[in-house]
Amino acid sequence: MRILLMISLVFYFFNAAAQSIPANTGSKFKASEVKIFLDHHNKVRAQVGVGKLTWSSSLSNYAQSWANELADKKCKMKHSECRDETGRVLGENIFWGSSSEFYGTLDASKSWYREKADYNGKPIGENRGKMVGHYTQMVWRYTREVGAGVAYCPGGGIIVVASYHPAGNIVGSVPY
């Protein structure tokens, strides 16, 4: 009985540590939003057999800065340079919703996931006419970290930016 209890405690603490969310998320994401956003990403990744992502406060800081800049420019959609302060190349997904009362941070992840319906399993660059890059970045097998930021547009909309490292969507490669 003691062995079973000890194994259960070890499993609990290992699992709790693996899913810990820092109090300082690195962005305007609340810790509760981080957990839901990260859990959704990891559920999607598990569907195709790739490892879990961890939350990165530094990637979140980068994503938040870009989300703020886009909001300041009336939420015109544009990718950043996708390089952090150390020069690392990052992957990036951007979501815009017309109303922050209707859309939330999880809606970004769900929107990107919906592209799965159009992904045909071919290497990146061979999905002619189909928008699948947000989904394939979510499930890119070599990506290990994600961070995200959220900002609000002057007209009441919401913008969510997610930064990924290592970056995915390498032309000629498949995500998983």
Side-chain angles (χ1 to χ4, degrees), residues 41-67:
H41 267 63
N42 285 331
K43 178 182 170 187
V44 168
R45 291 172 66 84
Q47 291 174 356
V48 295
V50 297
K52 291 182 177 184
L53 296 175
T54 58
W55 188 260
S56 166
S57 294
S58 66
L59 290 176
S60 296
N61 188 285
Y62 181 88
Q64 184 64 55
S65 292
W66 189 245

Short mmCIF file of all heavy atoms in Angstrom, two decimals, residues 41-67:
data_model
loop_
_atom_site.label_atom_id
_atom_site.label_comp_id
_atom_site.label_asym_id
_atom_site.label_seq_id
_atom_site.Cartn_x
_atom_site.Cartn_y
_atom_site.Cartn_z
N HIS A 41 -3.31 23.52 -27.31
CA HIS A 41 -2.20 23.22 -28.22
C HIS A 41 -1.71 21.79 -28.01
O HIS A 41 -1.49 21.05 -28.98
CB HIS A 41 -1.04 24.20 -27.98
CG HIS A 41 -1.05 25.40 -28.85
ND1 HIS A 41 -2.06 26.35 -28.83
CD2 HIS A 41 -0.15 25.84 -29.77
CE1 HIS A 41 -1.79 27.30 -29.69
NE2 HIS A 41 -0.63 27.02 -30.29
N ASN A 42 -1.51 21.40 -26.76
CA ASN A 42 -0.96 20.07 -26.48
C ASN A 42 -1.94 18.95 -26.81
O ASN A 42 -1.53 17.87 -27.22
CB ASN A 42 -0.47 20.00 -25.04
CG ASN A 42 0.83 20.76 -24.87
OD1 ASN A 42 1.62 20.87 -25.81
ND2 ASN A 42 1.06 21.30 -23.69
N LYS A 43 -3.23 19.21 -26.69
CA LYS A 43 -4.25 18.23 -27.11
C LYS A 43 -4.17 18.03 -28.63
O LYS A 43 -4.20 16.90 -29.12
CB LYS A 43 -5.64 18.73 -26.70
CG LYS A 43 -6.77 17.83 -27.13
CD LYS A 43 -8.10 18.44 -26.72
CE LYS A 43 -9.25 17.69 -27.35
NZ LYS A 43 -10.54 18.35 -27.10
N VAL A 44 -4.06 19.13 -29.36
CA VAL A 44 -3.95 19.06 -30.82
C VAL A 44 -2.67 18.31 -31.21
O VAL A 44 -2.68 17.48 -32.13
CB VAL A 44 -3.97 20.50 -31.41
CG1 VAL A 44 -3.58 20.51 -32.88
CG2 VAL A 44 -5.35 21.12 -31.21
N ARG A 45 -1.58 18.59 -30.52
CA ARG A 45 -0.30 17.93 -30.81
C ARG A 45 -0.37 16.42 -30.50
O ARG A 45 0.17 15.61 -31.24
CB ARG A 45 0.83 18.60 -30.04
CG ARG A 45 1.13 20.00 -30.56
CD ARG A 45 2.12 20.73 -29.67
NE ARG A 45 3.44 20.12 -29.66
CZ ARG A 45 4.38 20.35 -30.56
NH1 ARG A 45 4.15 21.17 -31.57
NH2 ARG A 45 5.56 19.75 -30.46
N ALA A 46 -1.06 16.07 -29.43
CA ALA A 46 -1.19 14.65 -29.06
C ALA A 46 -1.95 13.87 -30.13
O ALA A 46 -1.67 12.70 -30.37
CB ALA A 46 -1.89 14.52 -27.71
N GLN A 47 -2.88 14.52 -30.82
CA GLN A 47 -3.65 13.87 -31.88
C GLN A 47 -2.76 13.35 -33.01
O GLN A 47 -3.11 12.40 -33.69
CB GLN A 47 -4.68 14.83 -32.47
CG GLN A 47 -5.80 15.18 -31.55
CD GLN A 47 -6.71 16.26 -32.14
OE1 GLN A 47 -6.46 16.81 -33.21
NE2 GLN A 47 -7.78 16.56 -31.42
N VAL A 48 -1.61 14.00 -33.21
CA VAL A 48 -0.71 13.58 -34.29
C VAL A 48 0.58 12.97 -33.73
O VAL A 48 1.53 12.74 -34.48
CB VAL A 48 -0.40 14.74 -35.26
CG1 VAL A 48 -1.68 15.17 -35.98
CG2 VAL A 48 0.25 15.91 -34.56
N GLY A 49 0.62 12.74 -32.43
CA GLY A 49 1.74 12.01 -31.82
C GLY A 49 3.01 12.81 -31.62
O GLY A 49 4.09 12.23 -31.61
N VAL A 50 2.91 14.13 -31.47
CA VAL A 50 4.12 14.92 -31.19
C VAL A 50 4.10 15.39 -29.74
O VAL A 50 3.03 15.49 -29.12
CB VAL A 50 4.30 16.10 -32.16
CG1 VAL A 50 4.50 15.60 -33.59
CG2 VAL A 50 3.14 17.07 -32.10
N GLY A 51 5.27 15.69 -29.21
CA GLY A 51 5.43 16.05 -27.80
C GLY A 51 4.76 17.36 -27.42
O GLY A 51 4.41 18.19 -28.27
N LYS A 52 4.63 17.53 -26.12
CA LYS A 52 4.00 18.72 -25.57
C LYS A 52 4.89 19.95 -25.71
O LYS A 52 6.11 19.84 -25.70
CB LYS A 52 3.70 18.51 -24.09
CG LYS A 52 2.61 17.51 -23.83
CD LYS A 52 2.34 17.41 -22.34
CE LYS A 52 1.18 16.45 -22.09
NZ LYS A 52 0.83 16.41 -20.66
N LEU A 53 4.23 21.09 -25.78
CA LEU A 53 4.91 22.37 -25.73
C LEU A 53 4.98 22.84 -24.28
O LEU A 53 4.11 22.48 -23.48
CB LEU A 53 4.15 23.42 -26.54
CG LEU A 53 4.02 23.21 -28.03
CD1 LEU A 53 3.12 24.29 -28.65
CD2 LEU A 53 5.39 23.24 -28.69
N THR A 54 5.97 23.65 -23.98
CA THR A 54 6.02 24.33 -22.69
C THR A 54 5.82 25.82 -22.93
O THR A 54 6.10 26.32 -24.03
CB THR A 54 7.35 24.09 -21.95
OG1 THR A 54 8.43 24.56 -22.77
CG2 THR A 54 7.55 22.62 -21.64
N TRP A 55 5.35 26.51 -21.91
CA TRP A 55 5.12 27.94 -21.99
C TRP A 55 6.42 28.68 -21.78
O TRP A 55 7.18 28.35 -20.86
CB TRP A 55 4.10 28.37 -20.95
CG TRP A 55 3.69 29.79 -21.10
CD1 TRP A 55 4.15 30.85 -20.40
CD2 TRP A 55 2.73 30.30 -22.04
NE1 TRP A 55 3.54 32.01 -20.83
CE2 TRP A 55 2.66 31.69 -21.84
CE3 TRP A 55 1.93 29.72 -23.01
CZ2 TRP A 55 1.82 32.51 -22.58
CZ3 TRP A 55 1.10 30.54 -23.75
CH2 TRP A 55 1.05 31.91 -23.53
N SER A 56 6.69 29.66 -22.59
CA SER A 56 7.89 30.48 -22.48
C SER A 56 7.50 31.93 -22.22
O SER A 56 6.86 32.57 -23.07
CB SER A 56 8.72 30.39 -23.77
OG SER A 56 9.70 31.41 -23.78
N SER A 57 7.90 32.44 -21.05
CA SER A 57 7.63 33.84 -20.73
C SER A 57 8.37 34.78 -21.67
O SER A 57 7.86 35.85 -22.02
CB SER A 57 8.00 34.13 -19.28
OG SER A 57 7.15 33.41 -18.42
N SER A 58 9.57 34.40 -22.09
CA SER A 58 10.32 35.28 -23.00
C SER A 58 9.66 35.33 -24.38
O SER A 58 9.57 36.39 -25.00
CB SER A 58 11.79 34.88 -23.10
OG SER A 58 11.93 33.63 -23.70
N LEU A 59 9.16 34.19 -24.88
CA LEU A 59 8.42 34.21 -26.14
C LEU A 59 7.13 35.00 -25.99
O LEU A 59 6.71 35.71 -26.91
CB LEU A 59 8.11 32.79 -26.63
CG LEU A 59 9.28 31.96 -27.13
CD1 LEU A 59 8.81 30.54 -27.46
CD2 LEU A 59 9.95 32.61 -28.32
N SER A 60 6.51 34.91 -24.83
CA SER A 60 5.28 35.66 -24.57
C SER A 60 5.54 37.16 -24.59
O SER A 60 4.74 37.93 -25.10
CB SER A 60 4.69 35.28 -23.21
OG SER A 60 4.31 33.93 -23.22
N ASN A 61 6.67 37.54 -24.03
CA ASN A 61 7.04 38.95 -24.02
C ASN A 61 7.20 39.46 -25.45
O ASN A 61 6.72 40.55 -25.79
CB ASN A 61 8.32 39.14 -23.21
CG ASN A 61 8.66 40.58 -23.00
OD1 ASN A 61 9.12 41.25 -23.92
ND2 ASN A 61 8.43 41.06 -21.80
N TYR A 62 7.85 38.67 -26.29
CA TYR A 62 8.03 39.02 -27.70
C TYR A 62 6.67 39.13 -28.39
O TYR A 62 6.38 40.10 -29.09
CB TYR A 62 8.90 37.98 -28.39
CG TYR A 62 9.14 38.29 -29.85
CD1 TYR A 62 10.20 39.09 -30.25
CD2 TYR A 62 8.29 37.79 -30.83
CE1 TYR A 62 10.42 39.40 -31.59
CE2 TYR A 62 8.50 38.09 -32.18
CZ TYR A 62 9.56 38.89 -32.55
OH TYR A 62 9.76 39.19 -33.86
N ALA A 63 5.81 38.12 -28.18
CA ALA A 63 4.48 38.11 -28.80
C ALA A 63 3.64 39.29 -28.32
O ALA A 63 2.92 39.90 -29.11
CB ALA A 63 3.78 36.78 -28.50
N GLN A 64 3.75 39.60 -27.03
CA GLN A 64 2.98 40.72 -26.49
C GLN A 64 3.41 42.04 -27.12
O GLN A 64 2.57 42.88 -27.46
CB GLN A 64 3.14 40.80 -24.96
CG GLN A 64 2.28 41.88 -24.32
CD GLN A 64 0.80 41.60 -24.51
OE1 GLN A 64 0.31 40.53 -24.16
NE2 GLN A 64 0.07 42.55 -25.09
N SER A 65 4.71 42.21 -27.27
CA SER A 65 5.22 43.45 -27.90
C SER A 65 4.66 43.60 -29.31
O SER A 65 4.26 44.69 -29.72
CB SER A 65 6.74 43.44 -27.95
OG SER A 65 7.27 43.54 -26.66
N TRP A 66 4.63 42.48 -30.06
CA TRP A 66 4.12 42.57 -31.43
C TRP A 66 2.62 42.79 -31.44
O TRP A 66 2.09 43.57 -32.25
CB TRP A 66 4.52 41.34 -32.23
CG TRP A 66 4.19 41.52 -33.68
CD1 TRP A 66 3.28 40.81 -34.42
CD2 TRP A 66 4.73 42.51 -34.57
NE1 TRP A 66 3.24 41.30 -35.70
CE2 TRP A 66 4.12 42.34 -35.82
CE3 TRP A 66 5.67 43.52 -34.41
CZ2 TRP A 66 4.41 43.14 -36.92
CZ3 TRP A 66 5.97 44.32 -35.51
CH2 TRP A 66 5.34 44.13 -36.74
N ALA A 67 1.89 42.13 -30.53
CA ALA A 67 0.44 42.34 -30.44
C ALA A 67 0.14 43.80 -30.13
O ALA A 67 -0.76 44.40 -30.73
CB ALA A 67 -0.16 41.42 -29.39
#
